[in-house]
């Protein structure tokens, strides 16, 4: 079994000519990889990530309506904290020798503290080639999704996949003129 190397740093960009998002990442040993993610994969990935994030905040026992509002408020605070701690970094710029892959399969593993996304190549899950893995805490995942959301809007992809608490927290508002990766 081949283990996917963990991305050390990565930059996510929407590429209009491809109508895909590109993750340019650095692997251990200064290797670089470029992963292309079509909207079809994002539409499968995002609901599971949002569901995991929703379970990362504790909810108080209360009637369902009150618990739902409480959950949305907590998600809003967590999202605001993630937005505030996003720091500008130089982007990962793939070199001419970087491996480029169109990702066919995503594998998501989640624990109570982290989520791990494995990007794979291959149409058959029995013979998939793991390309790279992304290990994120809930805070890091929120930060990445803030970037993905901005790119999603730029791409004009369907907004229905984003939960109500995301819009309610003002997730679309990022600091103008600041590039984060």
């Amino acid at each position: 079994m081949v283990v996917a190397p963990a991305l050390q740093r990565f930059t996510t960009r929407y590429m209009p000519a491809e109508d895909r998002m590109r993750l340019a990442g650095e692997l251990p040993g200064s290797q670089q990889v470029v992963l292309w993610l079509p909207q079809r994969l994002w539409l499968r990935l995002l609901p599971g990530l949002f569901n995991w994030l929703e379970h990362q905040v504790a909810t108080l026992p209360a009637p369902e309506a009150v618990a739902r509002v409480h959950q949305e408020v907590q998600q809003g605070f967590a999202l605001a904290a993630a937005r505030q701690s996003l720091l500008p970094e130089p982007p990962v710029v793939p070199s001419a020798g970087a491996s480029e892959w169109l990702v066919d399969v995503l594998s998501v593993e989640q624990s109570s503290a982290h989520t791990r996304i494995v990007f794979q190549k291959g149409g058959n899950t029995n013979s998939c080639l793991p390309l790279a893995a992304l290990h994120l805490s809930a805070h890091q995942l929120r930060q990445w999704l803030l970037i993905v959301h901005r790119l999603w809007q730029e791409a004009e992809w369907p907004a229905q996949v984003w939960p109500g608490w995301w819009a309610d927290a003002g997730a679309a508002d990022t600091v103008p003129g600041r590039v984060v990766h």
Side-chain angles (χ1 to χ4, degrees), residues 39-173:
Q39 182 187 136
R40 172 186 58 83
L41 285 179
W42 284 106
L43 291 172
R44 292 181 185 164
L45 175 64
L46 290 174
L49 296 179
F50 294 136
N51 185 48
W52 182 76
L53 285 174
E54 288 169 1
H55 288 91
Q56 297 306 301
V57 294
T59 57
L60 299 174
E64 188 175 325
V66 173
R68 185 173 36 253
V69 170
H70 183 258
Q71 171 78 250
E72 289 179 7
V73 168
Q74 285 184 313
Q75 289 294 346
F77 284 135
L79 202 52
R83 183 183 310 108
Q84 290 297 323
S85 63
L86 266 172
L87 300 174
E89 289 187 28
V92 174
V93 179
S95 65
S99 299
E100 287 199 44
W101 300 92
L102 174 61
V103 177
D104 297 317
V105 178
L106 295 171
S107 169
V108 180
E109 301 163 10
Q110 297 170 329
S111 70
S112 60
H114 290 87
T115 192
R116 180 174 183 257
I117 304 166
V118 180
F119 305 96
Q120 302 174 64
K121 180 68 183 161
N124 172 336
T125 54
N126 293 332
S127 63
C128 285
L129 172 65
L131 305 169
L134 191 55
H135 302 264
L136 300 168
S137 67
H139 186 76
Q140 292 167 325
L141 179 58
R142 283 185 182 94
Q143 289 180 322
W144 183 44
L145 289 175
L146 282 164
I147 295 166
V148 169
H149 185 260
R150 181 177 46 82
L151 297 172
W152 195 276
Q153 290 176 313
E154 179 185 327
E156 298 178 353
W157 288 352
Q160 303 88 295
V161 71
W162 296 87
W165 55 261
W166 190 274
D168 294 344
D173 299 332

